[in-house]
Amino acid sequence: MENLIALLIAAPLLGAAVLLVGGRRLDAVGHWIGTLLSTVSFVFGLILFVDLLGKGAEHRTLIKHLYSWVPVAGFQADVTFRLDQLSMTFVLLITGVGSLIHLYSVGYMEHDERRRRFFGYLNLFLAAMLLLVLADNYLLLYVGWEGVGLASYLLIGFWQHKPSAATAAKKAFLVNRVGDMGLSIAIMLMFTTFGSFAFGPVLNHAGDASEGKLTAIGLMLLLAACGKSAQVPLQSWLGDAMEGPTPVSALIHAATMVTAGVYLIVRSGAVFNAAPDAQLAVTVVGAVTLLFGAIVGCAKDDIKKALAGSTMSQIGYMILAAGLGPIGYVFAIMHLVTHGFFKAGLFLGAGSVMHGMNDEVDMRKYGGLRTYMPVTFITFGLGYLAIIGFPGLSGFFSKDKIIEAAFAKGGTEGWILGGAALLGAAITAFYMTRVMLMTFFGEKRWQPDENGHEPHPHESPRVMTIPMILLAVGSVCAGGLFSIGDRFLHWLEPITGHSEGNSPLSAAAVTGATMVCLVIGVGIAWAQYGRGPVPVVAPRGSLLTRAARRDLLQDDFNHVVLVRGGEHLTRSLVYVDHTLVDGVVNGTAAGFGGLSGRLRRIQNGFARSYAVSMFGGAALLVAATLLMRAV
């Protein structure tokens, strides 16, 4: 059975190789090859999942060693895979949701002449993410981590003929390099501290290391997570990444890239449990980002960018939960899985709307689409209800648990984190209701494009709506199924551990407060966007609104602090190099040059001068000898 672990990765990796190397002869069937091999990986995952269910909790870890990667004295790097409850959860999410996105892409990319290459990149993305979550050591995880970065760069910039797409891909790549440096440094610190970077030696002996070293490792792992999961301060790439095809957005936001940071922190839980300062930093980053992303999502008229702000916020919830330690690890992963269903459904629904609206993304030019696109409306609506935490749907069970866990942290910290999570719930209800109302309700607002072609909204083909329907089922049912008998908690607890914490509020009180926040958010959105017509041109808005449209000035901050700061630093270094370094080097050279010029005058070619020099030297030697004897 362990051999299937390697095949999980091999199937999409084979698809990537075949599609990217096979050439144009595969253009007619390449999309089906990519979808088939993604589905094969999902089937292998289901077989392994059933096998794990048949084992006791203490025997649900499978190790598959393929070969020694770097076998040298004192440094052993192996290609070894670990399948346990945590990695199994990610395998099913990656391959299951990923396969549905592949199927959807068959219809969405139907008229793209480079469709075969697109599916090759999708397969590569899945293979890299599977390697990341199945690796048994941090160095192998790093290979998958970089593979995910490469695949995202290729897919975000897939339409590279658009300057905005090429720029967005480069931006995502560069911002993630900052986070990747954090993971690289963390691995180096692990090796110097534990003599290994394998999960076993590092996580089992984390308590034996000094708190200072563990804090440094934890902060570097957090930096890595901020890059991949678009958390403050490395969040600026996520909104621009919407320039890629919509299935890419769904894959990045639901099943692959942005979930990697959450996995890294939860997998490294033993390190953070022994480093409270690093753990506190994780919770702060999560709390700040969940509010940051929610505020940004409130002001976006681009439907995909509004959902991107939502993803930033929801991943913030997961990072917050992961920072709570054993109180929140399970709920961070639970929300990650439920979010995978409803966020993938929301993005595919947005793509369906764009498909029927000539690729228009401005929600102010939608309106009344529920009658033209009933399947898209229903599936998108169920995803909307799930993400705002409507009772009985997936988000209600997973996000409420995170809010409860935040209060369970106890003390002032618990009140602050719980309050931030509740505020985020209210803002989430507002911006997602805004998206629903502007897109599917009200009067139609679409207009002819620059060529005079007016959109003719229509429902998407079945190859696109079937994945949307299946994801909508997950949006409705997943959270409830996980919560029956605390199934999900008991499934992950042997790996993540669990603690109830010490909440000052009962679960009913937290649920009641969350429902009040939900109603307030929906009510404000209805008052602003549901009672009257939505203007086609956005009003100027308040100072906060204008800042939110500019992503709360994150790019402006980066430009002033990093770009201009880097320019000033470079100029300063150039000045020091020219004046100090070059001055010393050139001054030394000039000094020796001047001395050589003066000494050269002694070599004038006249015998009488040389005779005098010899006579003078001999006289000095004789005088020195007589002086020494006299002394």
Side-chain angles (χ1 to χ4, degrees):
M1 192 61 68
E2 288 83 356
N3 292 329
L4 284 181
I5 301 175
L7 294 179
L8 280 170
I9 304 172
L13 190 60
L14 173 63
V18 169
L19 295 176
L20 296 177
V21 178
R24 295 185 179 277
R25 64 179 67 89
L26 297 177
D27 283 354
V29 295
H31 48 289
W32 291 118
I33 293 175
T35 304
L36 174 63
L37 288 173
S38 172
T39 306
V40 166
S41 184
F42 175 61
V43 172
F44 289 155
L46 285 177
I47 294 172
L48 287 166
F49 176 62
V50 172
D51 181 66
L52 290 188
L53 286 178
K55 301 177 183 292
E58 66 280 5
H59 300 297
R60 286 177 175 169
T61 298
L62 303 179
I63 304 295
K64 176 61 179 178
H65 175 78
L66 284 188
Y67 59 90
S68 294
W69 179 14
V70 188
V72 297
F75 186 94
Q76 183 71 27
D78 296 327
V79 176
T80 302
F81 302 127
R82 169 187 292 263
L83 184 71
D84 55 21
Q85 293 94 316
L86 179 59
S87 53
M88 186 76 255
T89 302
F90 275 83
V91 164
L92 293 178
L93 176 67
I94 294 164
T95 58
V97 174
S99 295
L100 291 176
I101 293 172
H102 274 69
L103 180 60
Y104 176 95
S105 301
V106 171
Y108 190 87
M109 302 294 289
E110 181 179 6
H111 302 295
D112 196 297
E113 60 182 15
R114 299 171 65 236
R115 182 166 61 166
R116 170 185 53 81
R117 183 177 294 273
F118 179 79
F119 276 82
Y121 292 159
L122 287 183
N123 273 196
L124 179 63
F125 211 157
L126 260 61
M129 190 66 190
L130 287 170
L131 177 61
L132 190 158
V133 300
L134 288 170
D136 188 44
N137 63 73
Y138 284 95
L139 191 60
L140 188 59
L141 180 151
Y142 187 77
V143 176
W145 192 271
E146 292 300 315
V148 167
L150 171 62
S152 66
Y153 170 78
L154 295 171
L155 285 167
I156 293 170
F158 183 74
W159 288 326
Q160 68 264 33
H161 60 276
K162 297 167 52 179
S164 57
T167 301
K170 183 172 66 175
K171 183 177 182 180
F173 191 81
L174 292 176
V175 172
N176 272 273
R177 296 292 71 73
V178 179
D180 295 351
M181 284 298 298
L183 182 55
S184 177
I185 293 171
I187 294 172
M188 297 177 197
L189 290 174
M190 290 174 189
F191 187 75
T192 58
T193 303
F194 302 102
S196 174
F197 35 72
F199 288 162
V202 173
L203 301 180
N204 293 337
H205 299 284
D208 300 334
S210 68
E211 185 176 318
K213 289 183 177 179
L214 292 176
T215 298
I217 293 172
L219 291 177
M220 289 299 100
L221 291 174
L222 174 59
L223 179 62
C226 286
K228 278 289 182 288
S229 294
Q231 301 292 284
V232 172
L234 300 180
Q235 79 288 1
S236 62
W237 65 271
L238 192 62
D240 296 79
M242 298 304 98
E243 292 293 334
T246 301
V248 175
S249 303
L251 193 60
I252 288 176
H253 289 246
T256 55
M257 190 166 179
V258 298
T259 65
V262 182
Y263 170 80
L264 181 66
I265 293 175
V266 174
R267 175 62 79 184
S268 308
V271 173
F272 288 97
N273 292 341
D277 290 339
Q279 202 169 58
L280 176 62
V282 175
T283 59
V284 171
V285 167
V288 170
T289 308
L290 77 87
L291 294 176
F292 188 105
I295 293 171
V296 168
C298 291
K300 295 295 185 181
D301 293 328
D302 182 320
I303 187 171
K304 289 175 65 178
K305 290 191 175 183
L307 294 177
S310 168
T311 297
M312 192 187 305
S313 179
Q314 297 304 307
I315 298 294
Y317 272 105
M318 300 170 207
I319 295 293
L320 167 61
L324 298 173
I327 303 174
Y329 287 143
V330 171
F331 304 128
I333 302 301
M334 181 176 175
H335 192 52
L336 185 149
V337 176
T338 59
H339 177 265
F341 284 110
F342 55 70
K343 184 50 63 68
L346 288 169
F347 266 110
L348 296 189
S352 179
V353 170
M354 293 167 58
H355 183 266
M357 292 291 292
N358 295 346
D359 290 329
E360 178 62 65
V361 295
D362 189 346
M363 293 184 293
R364 294 186 179 275
K365 298 178 181 177
Y366 292 164
L369 292 180
R370 68 186 186 280
T371 58
Y372 297 89
M373 310 177 72
V375 176
T376 300
F377 167 63
I378 293 172
T379 56
F380 193 97
L382 291 173
Y384 151 72
L385 292 174
I387 195 173
I388 68 173
F390 190 83
L393 275 70
S394 292
F396 170 79
F397 293 99
S398 57
K399 190 162 65 176
D400 275 26
K401 286 295 185 181
I402 293 177
I403 298 173
E404 290 177 25
F407 280 109
K409 184 68 174 178
T412 304
E413 183 181 342
W415 282 104
I416 293 174
L417 296 175
L422 279 176
L423 179 58
I427 302 175
T428 300
F430 171 81
Y431 70 72
M432 285 306 305
T433 303
R434 174 179 180 267
V435 170
M436 280 295 297
L437 293 174
M438 292 179 69
T439 303
F440 295 103
F441 292 88
E443 299 297 326
K444 68 175 186 177
R445 298 182 299 276
W446 55 84
Q447 301 172 345
D449 59 20
E450 56 188 16
N451 298 318
H453 299 145
E454 183 172 329
H456 296 284
H458 57 277
E459 190 57 86
S460 299
R462 288 186 180 180
V463 74
M464 294 172 63
T465 57
I466 288 175
M468 292 160 56
I469 292 170
L470 293 176
L471 289 169
V473 172
S475 300
V476 173
C477 302
L481 292 176
F482 292 161
S483 299
I484 296 175
D486 290 329
R487 290 177 179 176
F488 199 77
L489 190 154
H490 295 317
W491 167 256
L492 281 183
E493 189 174 6
I495 303 300
T496 62
H498 181 64
S499 172
E500 293 296 334
N502 184 25
S503 178
L505 300 176
S506 66
V510 173
T511 299
T514 305
M515 290 300 100
V516 170
C517 291
L518 185 154
V519 171
I520 291 173
V522 172
I524 295 175
W526 172 258
Q528 188 169 352
Y529 296 95
R531 293 195 306 174
V534 175
V536 176
V537 178
R540 189 165 184 267
S542 65
L543 180 62
L544 178 59
T545 299
R546 296 197 301 273
R549 287 175 186 153
R550 294 170 61 91
D551 300 323
L552 292 180
L553 308 180
Q554 55 184 321
D555 284 333
D556 302 82
F557 176 83
N558 290 342
H559 184 75
V560 171
V561 176
L562 300 178
V563 177
R564 289 188 179 177
E567 289 176 353
H568 290 308
L569 176 61
T570 302
R571 289 170 184 168
S572 300
L573 293 174
V574 169
Y575 176 80
V576 170
D577 181 61
H578 286 171
T579 57
L580 181 61
V581 178
D582 286 355
V584 171
V585 173
N586 295 336
T588 302
F592 278 101
L595 178 62
S596 299
R598 287 171 175 78
L599 291 175
R600 187 174 58 203
R601 295 176 184 176
I602 299 173
Q603 305 295 325
N604 54 20
F606 296 115
R608 60 180 178 272
S609 297
Y610 299 153
V612 171
S613 298
M614 294 169 62
F615 177 77
L620 287 174
L621 288 173
V622 171
T625 302
L626 293 175
L627 181 61
M628 292 178 62
R629 286 185 177 181
V631 174

